[in-house]
Amino acid sequence: MKGIFTFFVIFFACIAGAYSQSKYELRGTILDIGGLPLTGASIQVAGTSFGTVTDLEGKYSLVFDKPGDYNLKLSFIGFKTIDEKVAISKPVFTRNYKLEEEISSLQEVEIMGRKEEGYKNTSTFIGSKTQTNIKDLPQSVSYATKELILDQGLMRVGETVKNFSGVSQFTFYDDITIRGFRINGGSNTQLVNGMRSTSGFWKQPLINYLERVEVLKGPSSALFGNASPGGVVNRVTKKPLDINRNSLSFSMGSFNNFRGLADFTGPANKSKTLLYRLNLGYEDAQNFRDLQFDKNIVVAPSFSFIASEKTRVNLDLVFNNSSSRLDRGQSTFENDLYSTPISRSLNTANDYLKEQTYTITTSINHQISKSISLNASYMKTGYNEDLQEHRSSNSYAVDGTGNTIPTMVGRQVFIRKRSRFVDNLSSYLNINTTTGSLAHKLVVGYDYARESLAAGGSQLTASGYRNASNTGSIARFDPSKPQNYLLDAAGNPVPNVSHFDLENPIPSQAMQDMSKYFYAQVGYDPTLYYLNGFYAQDQITLGKLEAMIGVRYEVYTDFENYKKEGEQKVNQNALLPRLGLVYKANEHVNFYGTYVEGYNPQTASTIANPNAGGPFDPLESSMVEFGMKSDWFNKRLELTTGIYQITQKNTLYPVAGETDLLEQIGEESAKGVEIDLVGRVLMNWSVMASYAYNVAEITESPNEADLGKQKPNAPKHQGNLWTKYDFDQGALTGLGIGFGTNFVTERNLSLSATQTIPGYTLMNAAVYYTTGNVRLQLNVNNLTDETHWVGGYDYLRLFPGAPRNVLGTITFSF
């Protein structure tokens, strides 16, 4: 705490010192060629983050600490950029500008870095495989730009989803729900730059190398193959820029949190044909949870080679090395949610989790002719896991009569190693043509994806109770046969792994002698699947109407008993249509409607139990969605509203009276309303807001009690507001303040249990000060210190949110 206190003393001393200096003001107006003011135009000192935007009358004001020559960059979406050197030598200097409109085609592949700044992102590639204005896409997209991520002091994808309508955490792993349907990092349906990828389920890596996080709502199988019906998360990495931008950032905060980040980009040669970007990240952080910590190193270089006006090549590498402990959640006394502190974890001091993940991507964009371009990308992903953990056995301890002891949690031990690899090839043609009065934007492509779990994946498990001779263990205690078990002096069965004492946790959290346990070996047998996908899509424009028609044919190939006797290839085919329509009512308002279908295989690679039966038909889903997208205040503010209904069938349920067998008799649905607002209200007032109402329930089930139940960890209501105001006039120039709140309502933890977790409302705040090339930032999260839970499975595995915490950051731009 002494180090944090010293940091904040220096933080506020810097602010006070900055205000005592002399000021030099540059002011003026930015207009278009016709003399109309450009509201929200950016004027920035080149190579730094110091700058401002114009007000409703096109006026701007920049205040410098000292005189000198400054290289200014003026920009506005759709207008040519102006670069000019200005000599500031007197207290007030006036300079007016006019920007010329620029007519340029949208790039066909996300290979060049995004120069647009702020919370609003104008275009995306995720919904159509070509750069499309989000307003023109007939499907809902939510996103968080790097500027929003920076202002909120976020470092995990799970932290960003509070800003998205209909998206919430399921646990605090890489694990979320979208419109009531669950996806996670190990599901191989998450995307990096529109390419299928994989990561560890347990820990979320740093996101300092990301340009933005975006979610395409609803089934996305028509473009990306098998995926969750709720939507897909796409992580867009930062790309090289053709201008120099460099920054160093250092943060300190609660729970002994420290991280250092670096971002360097610019041209590598005078001709600007070779561009580079290098993002580095280091994190050493403790946690409000007992025994938890995270040490992460991220190295993410990227290169763009502009071979000619027609050909661009990009290379991206992201390497993450993580050392931590796996946190299986908070356990409470039986059915008593508030009986233990949210800090309580069941780990011991010699537990560990070591993960290494890399993705390497090569992509090329070649303009074959004025109307045809070729895009091809290949991504390789590797993931390695090395785990040793003490965790709950998902049950309480039992005494000699078989009754539970509500203050003692049964424990088990996992020691596991495994590796997983994903190969992903995506190639497609973009064809722009016309037939009569119809304009066509065609995408014709082929995808190949392959995932394998390498040989040698295996786990040692210690669990259950010791047998009478103390030579092994028995999975469960049977009180009718006490003679089979080793009993203590009180007649209670002796556990293989000592129970966790919720009332006296310190001895349970001390280092344990791993050699004293009896282990059973569990194999993670090698698995392999691959898919071949062929798709075509046409965006057809006729006046104010724009239709999107697409279809994908996919062959999913899996292997039962892979690399064993009786190996058998299993194929599943899917034909997936996509229909969308946009009506451009006027320059600012679009109405849209869409129908999409999706699927997700249920085969040996996705079902862990080899005795489950099958092969099963895939999960089949469909969605109907209608909505409106509009922009306001000279296109600075974007509003999206939508209503939807998603249905998924072929859900697996256990066969009555059988131990392992499953049958396809389930159906589930989600329907709701979403509202998203993002952008700038005024030149120096940014906002991000969302609201969602979602009814996600079971509509067909062999268990009548399940019918009509809200799905686990899917709140019916949730909302978010974040706003930031920058002072750009008077004595407070350079100062900014931010405030946010988000809420979710009560959630079910499972379908089979009646346990719930309460809703919550959190408030967060931030203060910023920018002077020259230096930005100081202080974030305070959970201002009211509200006890809350972001998700969970039951009261033995709860995932509490962080109590009140602070984070101070200093950033140098050069």
Side-chain angles (χ1 to χ4, degrees), residues 159-170:
E159 296 171 338
T160 70
V161 303
K162 67 183 179 184
N163 296 290
F164 306 154
S165 62
V167 187
S168 59
Q169 290 179 265
F170 197 97

Side-chain angles (χ1 to χ4, degrees), residues 59-73:
K59 295 179 180 179
Y60 72 89
S61 172
L62 278 176
V63 179
F64 298 86
D65 294 327
K66 59 184 179 180
D69 294 338
Y70 294 92
N71 294 315
L72 300 181
K73 178 186 173 185

